[in-house]
Structures are given as structure tokens and as C-alpha cells.
Amino acid sequence: MAHAVSTPGTPTGARTRPGTPRRTRPDVLGRKTHLLVKWAMPVAAALVYGYWVASVRRHGGPITTTNLLYGFMAMLAFAILYFAIRAVGRRLPREGHAALWGAFAGSALGFIYSGSGVAMFTCVLASLLLAGAVTAALVYHYYTRHDAQAQDSRDAPAARAARAT
């Protein structure tokens, strides 16, 4: 039984003639919207995380200034680490990039979970499980999505040269 091998530069493997434009997904949102979402989503996630840390720490008691300060500091640390990982992660290989995000997710969960008063072994186990799941999912994502984009960028000069001749 013969299996078709995909042709570089085509998502379906169908052969196309040189000069035929490739189909790409339309960009519905504008450049400004993408920039806004790039900065607003991490800030919103940090606000939710800070509130979550503060609410877990007070254990249903009254809201205090110390509790609010603790939540604000957790929010600030989350946002700084998020932006640092996003800046550094692009320079790493796929596996390192995925492991960095996995470690971030696992440690964020472990920090919140440890504030609830459960045993430390349970916190570490839950953190490691989440870190492993996030790392595995991102390795899969990077291998299936980014390879196609990298292959397209590597094949682009050859395709332009073929069209020119």
C-alpha cells in the first residue's frame, strides 16, 4: 500500500504549480488589536492570579492590608516572570521553550496550592503533574506547528528562484 508524502510548502501535500498562491488563514484582527491582546492578556492573567493568591491566603477571613499587599506582590511576580519567559523562550530550542513554560505553570500552581495548607508532597506532586502536562502539550504544539512555518520560510527562497526562471 503506497502512502503519499506531503510536498514542502503545501499543507495538504497536494502538488501545486510554481507561481500558484498558497492559501493562508485570513488575519481578521488588525495590527493594533494583536498588540493590545499581546499585552492585555498577560496583565489580565496576572490580576486573576494575584486575586486568587490573596483569596487562598486569607482562608475565608476578612480582607486585610497585608493580604492585599501579598496578592499584589504575587501579581507583580507573575507578570514579570511571564514577560521574561516570553522574551527568553523564543531564543530557546523547542524542548527548552516548552520546559520553561511547563516549569512556570507548575510553580505557579504549586505556590497557590501550598497556601491552602495541604501537605507539601501533595503540592509538589500536583505541580509536577501540571508541569509535565504543559510541557508535553507544548512540545507537541511546537513540533506540529512551528516545523511547518520553519519549512515554509526555508523553502521560500527556492520557490522564488523557481518562479524567476
Side-chain angles (χ1 to χ4, degrees):
M1 178 174 214
H3 294 282
V5 177
S6 63
T7 304
T10 60
T12 60
R15 299 213 179 252
T16 59
R17 288 177 281 169
T20 305
R22 284 191 4 201
R23 290 187 202 170
T24 57
R25 286 184 271 162
D27 189 13
V28 178
L29 304 175
R31 189 177 172 104
K32 288 181 182 179
T33 307
H34 281 289
L35 184 63
L36 177 70
V37 170
K38 179 181 176 181
W39 289 97
M41 289 300 292
V43 170
L47 286 169
V48 169
Y49 185 79
Y51 174 75
W52 193 5
V53 167
S55 67
V56 167
R57 182 180 164 114
R58 69 184 167 104
H59 299 290
I63 297 173
T64 62
T65 306
T66 308
N67 185 264
L68 289 175
L69 181 64
Y70 193 75
F72 179 76
M73 296 307 283
M75 176 203 67
L76 191 62
F78 183 91
I80 289 170
L81 285 173
Y82 186 97
F83 286 120
I85 290 171
R86 193 169 71 183
V88 171
R90 291 189 176 114
R91 298 181 191 139
L92 295 175
R94 290 178 292 231
E95 296 85 5
H97 192 183
L100 193 61
W101 281 112
F104 175 69
S107 61
L109 174 72
F111 182 70
I112 288 178
Y113 201 33
S114 68
S116 66
V118 298
M120 191 54 65
F121 177 75
T122 309
C123 295
V124 170
L125 183 65
S127 298
L128 287 175
L129 287 173
L130 180 68
V134 168
T135 301
L138 287 177
V139 164
Y140 174 77
H141 173 76
Y142 294 149
Y143 268 94
T144 56
R145 302 291 192 282
H146 291 233
D147 275 352
Q149 291 173 357
Q151 185 67 32
D152 287 346
S153 65
R154 284 191 297 261
D155 290 341
R160 279 195 298 268
R163 275 185 262 146
T165 58

